Amino acid sequence: MGDDAVSDASAGLPYAGGEKETLRASLDRLRDAVLWKLEGLDEERLRRRMTPSGTNLLGLVKHLASVEYGWFVETFGREPEPLWFDPYSAEDMYASDDETAEQIIAFYGRARTAADRTLAELPLDAVGRPAWHEGREVSLRWVLVHMIEETARHAGHMDIVRELIDGATGDWPAG
């Protein structure tokens, strides 16, 4: 595959950038792919449970927002927005009937913004303490790599769910 086959989604990636810049670009590319998986779908299809466990696109976005707040914000002693659900009881994996797609997508946007503030303000060696892992310390570098893994994992789930809904595949619109 030659350079001319590189997708538009790769434009602007820091192919020779520093560690933090490269990791952030990787996370942002995955975050954008997550949002692309929602494009063009109505509320019913965004909520449609496509697996025996009930996995659906909106639930995965809600979960990703919740974990971005947890890992990037709470872990580093910053104040997340108050959650209207309990992420420790798997309520973050499903969109309830009174939650709209617009609300969940906006929640994900706010979580990304809050996470990006932490990434901009702290060095990769900064240490945080996740409240749900008493006594454990993690570096921002570790959290960033973990969130790349977490987002990639759920973006993969979203690939399958979206394909089952309407046949759309890939990590970025063809163009």
Side-chain angles (χ1 to χ4, degrees):
M1 186 189 285
D3 287 338
D4 57 338
V6 175
S7 74
D8 289 339
S10 298
L13 287 179
Y15 291 110
E19 180 183 14
K20 191 175 194 180
E21 180 185 20
T22 300
L23 291 170
R24 289 232 13 220
S26 179
L27 179 60
D28 283 340
R29 187 170 187 278
L30 290 165
R31 289 164 157 178
D32 292 344
V34 162
L35 292 174
W36 174 70
K37 290 297 176 183
L38 308 177
E39 286 184 16
L41 297 178
D42 59 22
E43 285 274 343
E44 185 279 323
R45 292 189 294 174
L46 289 170
R47 296 172 176 284
R48 189 179 296 167
R49 294 174 178 229
M50 299 302 295
T51 67
S53 65
T55 301
N56 66 74
L57 294 172
L58 277 184
L60 289 167
V61 174
K62 183 179 174 184
H63 172 71
L64 286 169
S66 168
V67 296
E68 288 229 11
Y69 268 126
W71 282 110
F72 285 120
V73 180
E74 288 182 66
T75 294
F76 293 94
R78 292 149 185 258
E79 192 67 34
E81 71 176 83
L83 301 181
W84 64 94
F85 58 88
D86 180 5
Y88 301 110
S89 67
E91 287 180 23
D92 68 335
M93 293 299 293
Y94 305 98
S96 65
D97 291 341
D98 62 339
E99 296 171 324
T100 66
E102 183 179 343
Q103 177 186 11
I104 291 172
I105 293 166
F107 174 53
Y108 187 51
R110 292 189 307 275
R112 284 179 67 166
T113 298
D116 287 346
R117 269 194 305 274
T118 300
L119 287 166
E121 294 170 3
L122 297 178
L124 290 175
D125 292 335
V127 174
R129 292 161 190 81
W132 57 94
H133 288 299
E134 191 169 327
R136 180 176 292 169
E137 291 185 340
V138 294
S139 70
L140 182 59
R141 176 182 290 103
W142 185 90
V143 169
L144 185 51
V145 170
H146 174 69
M147 283 307 304
I148 290 168
E149 294 169 341
E150 179 85 359
T151 306
R153 177 175 176 247
H154 292 306
H157 295 143
M158 293 177 80
D159 285 341
I160 294 166
V161 170
R162 180 69 190 250
E163 184 175 4
L164 290 170
I165 289 171
D166 69 357
T169 60
D171 65 347
W172 206 255

